[in-house]
Amino acid sequence: MKHILAAWMRDRPGVLNRVTGLLSRRNFNIDSLQVSASEEPGISRMTFEVSGDDRTLEQVRSQLIKLVDVTRVESFVQEAIVKRELALVRVAVGPEERRQVLDLIQVFEATVEDISRTNMLIQIVGREEKIDSLIGLLRDYHLLEMVRTGPVAIVRSAVANVEPEPALEPARDTWQGGGV
Amino acid sequence: MHFSPDRFRTTAPPRRITGSEMIWDACVTEGVSILFGHPGGAILPAYDALAMYEADGLLHHVLVRHEQCAAHMADGYARSTGEVGVCVATSGPGATNLVTGIATAQMDSVPIVCITGQVPSPLLGTDAFQEADIVGVTQPVCKHNYLVTDVADLPMVMKEAFYIAREGRPGPVLVDVCKDVQIAEGEFRYDMEVKLPGFDPYPASWQDALAQAADLINTAEAPLIMAGHGIHLAGVSDVLLRIVEKAEIPVVTTLLGTGNITETHPLSLGMGGMHGEAYANEAVQACDVLIALGMRFDDRITGRLDRFAKQASVVHFELDKAEVGKNVQPDVAVVGDLAKTLPALEPLIHPNTHAEWLASLTDRKLSSAGKDILTFELDELVPPFVMRQIWSETTNLRDPGDVLVATDVGQHQMWESQYFVHERAGQLLTSGGLGTMGYGVPAAMGAQMACPDKLVWAIVGDGGFQMTMQELATIQQEKLPVKIAIINNGFLGMVRQWQQIFYDKRYVGTPVLSPDYVMLAAAYGIPACKVEEPGQVAEAVRAANTTDGPYLIDFQVKEEVNVYPMVAPGAAVDELIRRPHIMQDHGGVVPAF
């Protein structure tokens, strides 16, 4: 099972190294990882996906929070979050195929960021699956180069307009700094 | 005098001093008086400043012969006092030599601060002479570490380093200080508050779980306590004893929990796990509630995990939340400082008796081959006899509470844990988690430096001793009265035992040639003797114990003796190979070696 987690950490030299080093030496399987600034100055936010059972998730969280520079760890319930990824894809497209590709781009609400006689640079934002399917279709052409950010995620505000079922897990499970 | 004593108050007024002075001012203010280290180019400014502190009798530097031993000595100092040990090394090879000692301290939760010199900050990243990224290298094996490139950061870094090493689950912290930072001047104060939003050393929400834990314990018919290092670290072995006696609960200890309860106590079952006694492991597999206190279910104590105490409900008292559910999923977890949780548990525990359960354990105890080896007539020098004899002769002379033992790793380590009768927590200093050969002698030295009035024995094998025996010079230079017992069987004994049992007796790389240890000791000016027969042991131990200063005994024991009982790797803890024994004509049993 895939879990999505966010970790907040003090923006110190080597902090990324500490986190990734911990994940690799504890043999956790990380599917994606993304780091950026957070709303708080001096604090970075890392979003990542881990494969494993609930016990693995528990271990990842409790090992991460032990790092002195990590101030908070949250794990998210997939349904309660907005999760987005951005991809840039360069495809070899000559003038004769251009129209077909532009149609695809329109359907996927992607944008053309650069275009030349021989190729086209496409940007797409959205859920992972949407990006996967556009890329799948673009593979029919000659896919020259591709880069994906990996997903970032944020919790929806108070599970909008939906009466929460009592059995539902809370949307987020927060761990404040608890390193020992 | 260079310094007024007021200087080393936490609240002393800010002053402008060099980075080097900051390092030592912080150490003295933290209560450090001994440093274990080895100088070199990148730490020279700090050593130069150290002269003033040494002249004032504030700090004493112990020159080691290899930096690994500086870390082990700081570790021995810390384990024997509960205070932070400090070691010092230069950049590059000096720092990388510390790594084994740092990893040892990390695995066993020992608070040490390691100060290393680093190349000047403008040279960082240029592959300068003796440059090594020691912060990168030690990241996986220490609790936290710092690279200091600005003297303004140094006071806070030093304060945080001691704080992090000491608080919560203790561990090693490394501070790597660039040479230019040691030379630069800056403002030093030590009255600031440590603010680490990501570091919460003592989780505080354990009250709810405590009642559940007490319920389980109170209703158990066959409860068993498994007591680990956390009991000693939290200083609650007295509370443990009161709970144990109040509710009549037997206790198995981990290797690092040795002595949490006096081993002569009727409710003590001694050490469990791979080389624990059969009855201790059988108790684990027969109890209905297993109460794990300050331990982490290491594979050496659990054996095959999916068959470990499956019949029992597990209650886990532990400070480090990451240890809860890592290996064994408890039914109730009380996550908090044992110095708080255990005293809070005590009044919730009802007085109880478990006569039937205890009787079944006594039966099991009687059915294992006797350990009372001193009563057997032996015609060969076997290690268990040596161990028991060292212990009995030493405690005839000195109060057992005044004796500390440091061991290396391997067969002798297990024999020590089996045949010494540990009286109190913290009496045994041993590398349990990392299993570091070469640990014994330097750890004993660190403990002896910290506790000059204690009688300190280093019990080592001929393999491990040869890894750090260069420290004999340090022993002499510091006039340390450490007693060294080499259990010399001509093999890397534990590896040989595994080769015998699991690799069809193919002894590859395990026969060890030793020098003449008596001559070696003599070269360092250390008195020594060789023991070849059982009848010579007591006298040799007496000679060691009554000699002022260090003493070394080369016990030339029978070569191919195995440590039993033994749980083979991958086996459940009750599937053990029992200690072989011989039935005597009159019906008694003696161990067969």
Side-chain angles (χ1 to χ4, degrees):
Chain A
M1 189 183 163
K2 262 193 187 182
H3 304 276
I4 188 151
L5 287 107
W8 285 254
M9 57 206 69
R10 295 198 298 172
D11 187 13
R12 293 286 160 99
V15 66
L16 183 60
N17 215 349
R18 287 184 201 278
V19 172
T20 53
L22 172 92
L23 296 170
S24 78
R25 76 172 173 273
R26 294 276 175 189
N27 205 18
F28 296 130
N29 201 349
I30 302 303
D31 299 312
S32 72
L33 191 149
Q34 189 276 342
V35 200
S36 70
S38 75
E39 66 285 357
E40 200 179 327
I43 299 284
S44 303
R45 175 174 176 148
M46 187 184 281
T47 310
F48 54 98
E49 285 179 301
V50 193
S51 293
D53 54 15
D54 286 351
R55 241 172 106 171
T56 309
L57 173 72
E58 193 70 13
Q59 262 297 298
V60 171
R61 294 198 305 190
S62 45
Q63 294 291 354
L64 272 175
I65 201 70
K66 269 172 79 169
L67 292 176
V68 170
D69 288 331
V70 173
T71 57
R72 182 153 66 113
V73 179
E74 285 188 12
S75 63
F76 301 127
V77 176
Q78 296 278 3
E79 297 73 39
I81 51 172
V82 177
K83 192 168 95 170
R84 293 292 178 269
E85 185 177 356
L86 181 146
L88 295 170
V89 190
R90 191 190 303 279
V91 195
V93 210
E96 62 283 0
E97 288 168 322
R98 204 173 277 155
R99 189 64 249 165
Q100 301 168 19
V101 175
L102 285 171
D103 285 349
L104 273 178
I105 287 170
Q106 198 181 3
V107 172
F108 279 87
E109 292 175 316
T111 54
V112 177
E113 297 298 316
D114 186 27
I115 194 158
S116 76
R117 207 167 289 139
T118 56
N119 68 63
M120 198 185 267
L121 179 62
I122 301 158
Q123 171 189 297
I124 176 165
V125 180
R127 284 176 291 110
E128 240 177 314
E129 310 84 72
K130 175 179 161 184
I131 295 174
D132 287 345
S133 47
L134 176 61
I135 289 168
L137 291 165
L138 290 174
R139 282 191 194 280
D140 292 346
Y141 307 89
H142 187 195
L143 205 153
L144 292 169
E145 202 181 352
M146 176 179 89
V147 60
R148 296 174 68 154
T149 58
V152 293
I154 209 157
V155 175
R156 287 183 191 280
S157 58
V159 191
N161 305 327
V162 182
E163 194 74 24
E165 285 180 46
L168 265 182
E169 285 180 54
R172 59 168 78 193
D173 193 356
T174 304
W175 286 37
Q176 294 289 352
V180 287
Chain B
M1 294 291 275
H2 299 88
F3 306 113
S4 126
D6 292 343
R7 178 183 170 110
F8 304 107
R9 293 206 182 118
T10 309
T11 52
R15 59 247 185 212
R16 227 180 139 68
I17 56 176
T18 65
S20 299
E21 291 171 306
M22 290 181 184
I23 296 171
W24 307 132
D25 270 27
C27 285
V28 177
T29 310
E30 292 285 351
V32 175
S33 57
I34 299 167
L35 310 164
F36 304 95
H38 197 290
I43 192 78
L44 263 176
Y47 269 79
D48 189 44
L50 184 58
M52 295 185 293
Y53 297 79
E54 287 215 288
D56 279 9
L58 294 164
L59 289 169
H60 172 69
H61 178 264
V62 175
L63 174 68
V64 299
R65 298 304 187 269
H66 187 290
E67 291 87 347
Q68 178 190 347
C69 295
H72 289 329
M73 286 179 209
D75 173 314
Y77 176 97
R79 288 196 212 217
S80 58
T81 59
E83 282 155 30
V84 180
V86 179
C87 60
V88 191
T90 191
S91 64
T96 56
N97 276 348
L98 289 175
V99 173
T100 302
I102 295 172
T104 304
Q106 168 79 350
M107 284 289 258
D108 288 350
S109 312
V110 181
I112 62 172
V113 167
C114 311
I115 295 156
T116 50
Q118 180 55 280
V119 301
S121 56
L123 294 185
L124 279 173
T126 65
D127 300 319
F129 178 65
Q130 290 194 331
E131 182 185 1
D133 172 18
I134 197 62
V135 165
V137 169
T138 56
Q139 216 166 66
V141 293
C142 65
K143 196 171 170 187
H144 197 56
N145 59 19
Y146 296 89
L147 169 64
V148 187
T149 56
D150 182 347
V151 72
D153 297 335
L154 193 51
M156 195 52 160
V157 165
M158 290 301 295
K159 192 153 188 179
E160 286 183 7
F162 278 94
Y163 178 78
I164 292 170
R166 184 193 299 125
E167 301 299 325
R169 180 177 177 179
V173 178
L174 179 130
V175 182
D176 195 26
V177 189
C178 285
K179 191 174 183 178
D180 53 322
V181 173
Q182 297 167 39
I183 296 163
E185 276 191 10
E187 189 189 78
F188 182 84
R189 59 193 304 161
Y190 215 63
D191 57 351
M192 59 286 193
E193 203 185 320
V194 172
K195 280 191 198 137
L196 294 165
F199 183 67
D200 170 19
Y202 302 105
S205 57
W206 43 266
Q207 278 80 0
D208 293 348
L210 193 70
Q212 292 177 44
D215 270 357
L216 261 176
I217 297 167
N218 284 330
T219 52
E221 285 175 10
L224 179 72
I225 286 175
M226 191 173 258
H229 196 198
I231 293 284
H232 173 52
L233 290 174
V236 288
S237 47
D238 53 338
V239 185
L240 172 70
L241 182 65
R242 290 199 297 270
I243 291 174
V244 161
E245 292 186 337
K246 186 177 180 187
E248 225 179 58
I249 305 175
V251 183
V252 169
T253 63
T254 66
L255 177 62
L256 291 189
T258 300
N260 275 334
I261 175 169
T262 305
E263 288 176 348
T264 48
H265 195 286
L267 289 166
S268 166
L269 300 175
M271 182 181 73
M274 184 172 266
H275 294 292
E277 290 306 317
Y279 49 82
N281 286 328
E282 285 167 4
V284 171
Q285 300 295 69
C287 64
D288 64 354
V289 176
L290 181 68
I291 307 139
L293 304 178
M295 51 86 72
R296 60 185 175 87
F297 295 104
D298 176 77
D299 56 86
R300 286 305 193 254
I301 195 94
T302 62
R304 188 172 154 178
L305 207 52
D306 61 2
R307 291 184 43 203
F308 173 76
K310 281 291 160 200
Q311 78 295 342
S313 302
V314 175
V315 180
H316 194 179
F317 283 70
E318 169 59 43
L319 174 57
D320 181 355
K321 189 174 190 313
E323 295 298 350
V324 175
K326 186 180 82 179
N327 297 331
V328 170
Q329 192 65 47
D331 297 271
V332 179
V334 182
V335 181
D337 183 7
L338 270 90
K340 296 250 164 51
T341 57
L342 216 55
L345 176 71
E346 191 186 350
L348 304 182
I349 295 298
H350 303 154
N352 213 335
T353 53
H354 297 103
E356 206 176 310
W357 166 234
L358 293 178
S360 78
L361 295 179
T362 311
D363 289 348
R364 290 191 171 95
K365 248 182 179 172
L366 292 175
S367 69
S368 31
K371 277 211 308 183
D372 197 10
I373 192 159
L374 292 187
T375 62
F376 302 134
E377 270 187 35
L378 299 160
D379 48 9
E380 289 173 305
L381 188 63
V382 292
F385 175 79
V386 175
M387 295 298 171
R388 225 353 119 74
Q389 193 81 296
I390 294 175
W391 184 246
S392 66
E393 282 302 323
T394 302
T395 52
N396 280 345
L397 186 77
R398 292 286 290 264
D399 184 278
D402 283 346
V403 181
L404 289 173
V405 188
T407 74
D408 240 85
V409 168
Q411 284 188 314
H412 71 276
Q413 178 192 32
M414 293 296 105
W415 282 316
E416 191 283 342
S417 68
Q418 292 177 340
Y419 288 92
F420 275 49
V421 189
H422 305 91
E423 287 267 327
R424 61 176 181 85
Q427 191 156 33
L428 168 63
L429 286 68
T430 196
S431 169
L434 196 68
T436 309
M437 284 175 68
Y439 172 82
V441 166
M445 294 166 65
Q448 186 78 78
M449 286 297 301
C451 315
D453 298 331
K454 291 237 155 69
L455 179 53
V456 184
W457 273 89
I459 312 277
V460 297
D462 45 331
F465 180 64
Q466 292 190 70
M467 285 192 174
T468 49
M469 67 184 181
Q470 75 282 351
E471 299 304 325
L472 289 176
T474 313
I475 287 179
Q476 261 318 46
Q477 190 164 349
E478 294 296 328
K479 309 239 173 299
L480 289 174
V482 171
K483 317 299 177 191
I484 301 170
I486 305 172
I487 308 303
N488 182 356
N489 58 8
F491 278 102
L492 302 175
M494 188 59 94
V495 187
R496 184 207 55 74
Q497 175 170 342
W498 282 48
Q499 288 174 331
Q500 180 188 331
I501 299 173
F502 307 118
Y503 296 90
D504 215 11
K505 271 200 168 188
R506 287 185 295 276
Y507 294 159
V508 182
T510 43
V512 185
L513 179 76
S514 277
D516 182 325
Y517 290 120
V518 176
M519 284 175 69
L520 179 80
Y524 287 104
I526 295 174
C529 71
K530 189 178 294 184
V531 170
E532 288 162 311
E533 287 165 25
Q536 302 169 325
V537 178
E539 196 189 330
V541 174
R542 274 197 294 273
N545 282 334
T546 52
T547 299
D548 275 340
Y551 199 91
L552 181 148
I553 309 175
D554 176 11
F555 289 103
Q556 304 224 320
V557 297
K558 186 179 174 186
E559 286 186 348
E560 295 182 49
V561 178
N562 289 342
V563 180
Y564 294 115
M566 179 187 193
V567 178
V573 280
D574 52 349
E575 297 173 335
L576 33 73
I577 309 168
R578 299 290 286 260
R579 190 179 281 114
H581 57 273
I582 302 164
M583 287 295 281
Q584 286 181 320
D585 295 342
H586 52 79
V589 289
V590 291
F593 294 101

